[in-house]
């Protein structure tokens, strides 16, 4: 089966779909939607704790925490994706990421599980200008009736707007 370059680009840009029988994604929720990030980027999952606010920072930048000798910036993904105000209850968690040697935390409503998806289960992202720019999407993962919005977390965190990680050279 031959795919056009455009159809293959969103997934191929993000991860090597053809090199593995399946890829693993940590699934998490923001409101009613379920998202996924490459499990290899996840350092740990922690309960949400109070942060130290930094003056004049964007609304999605909650502040920083001290984690085993490292100052970790905390990003609220609900605010970043314009999904309304977050409630920091017992279900809220911080996913601590390791991206290109930088440690970053992201607050999400909850973590579901780890999902293994084959390349055939990952569909290219549709063109949309809503909550997530398609530049940051790997695609949509499907598992039965379940749909997972797959985020290329490296690209999101290294974007000019976020500036939390040095830009990717690939």
């Amino acid at each position: 089966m031959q795919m056009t370059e455009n159809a293959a680009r969103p997934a191929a840009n993000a991860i090597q779909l053809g090199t593995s029988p399946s890829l693993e994604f940590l699934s998490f929720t923001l409101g009613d939607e379920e998202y996924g990030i490459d499990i290899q980027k996840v350092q740990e999952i922690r309960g949400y704790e109070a942060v130290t606010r930094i003056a004049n920072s964007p609304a999605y930048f909650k502040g920083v925490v001290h984690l085993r000798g490292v100052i970790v910036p905390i990003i609220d993904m609900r605010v970043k994706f314009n999904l309304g105000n977050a409630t920091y209850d017992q279900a809220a968690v911080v996913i601590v990421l390791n991206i290109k040697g930088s440690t970053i935390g992201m607050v999400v409503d909850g973590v579901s599980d780890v999902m293994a998806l084959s390349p055939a289960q990952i569909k290219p992202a549709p063109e949309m200008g809503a909550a997530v720019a398609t530049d940051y999407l790997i695609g949509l993962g499907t598992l039965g009736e379940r749909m997972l919005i797959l985020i290329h977390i490296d690209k999101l965190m290294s974007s000019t707007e976020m500036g939390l990680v040095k830009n990717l050279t690939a």
Side-chain angles (χ1 to χ4, degrees):
M1 182 170 140
Q2 188 176 15
M3 292 181 66
T4 65
E5 186 178 333
N6 265 353
R9 179 163 300 178
N13 240 355
I15 50 178
Q16 297 299 319
L17 292 178
T19 61
S20 175
S22 67
L23 302 162
E24 291 186 326
F25 296 91
L26 176 68
S27 64
F28 62 90
T29 56
L30 294 172
D32 294 332
E33 300 302 325
E34 195 169 15
Y35 296 81
I37 56 173
D38 182 353
I39 190 69
Q40 295 179 355
K41 303 296 179 183
V42 177
Q43 181 175 310
E44 66 181 284
I45 300 168
R46 305 173 52 88
Y48 180 79
E49 57 188 63
V51 299
T52 301
R53 296 278 305 158
I54 304 293
N56 296 319
S57 59
Y60 59 82
F61 184 79
K62 298 315 295 175
V64 296
V65 296
H66 189 254
L67 179 61
R68 290 186 294 282
V70 177
I71 302 299
V72 179
I74 304 295
I75 304 301
D76 189 319
M77 297 304 283
R78 181 182 273 272
V79 175
K80 172 65 183 146
F81 290 157
N82 296 317
L83 297 173
N85 293 328
T87 54
Y88 304 108
D89 57 18
Q90 290 147 331
V93 296
V94 174
I95 301 171
V96 180
L97 306 166
N98 188 328
I99 300 173
K100 294 188 62 114
S102 295
T103 304
I104 301 164
M106 61 183 218
V107 180
V108 298
D109 293 345
V111 172
S112 303
D113 55 9
V114 175
M115 292 178 61
L117 298 173
S118 71
Q121 292 173 294
I122 301 173
K123 308 299 181 205
E127 291 296 322
M128 50 186 202
V132 181
T134 57
D135 291 351
Y136 309 127
L137 291 181
I138 294 168
L140 298 172
T142 57
L143 189 61
E145 295 297 313
R146 196 170 170 190
M147 188 175 298
L148 199 64
I149 301 166
L150 303 175
I151 297 173
H152 189 303
I153 199 67
D154 295 273
K155 284 188 178 184
L156 180 63
M157 295 299 178
S158 65
S159 68
T160 305
E161 176 191 359
M162 299 280 280
L164 293 172
V165 179
K166 290 182 182 174
N167 283 336
L168 299 171
T169 56

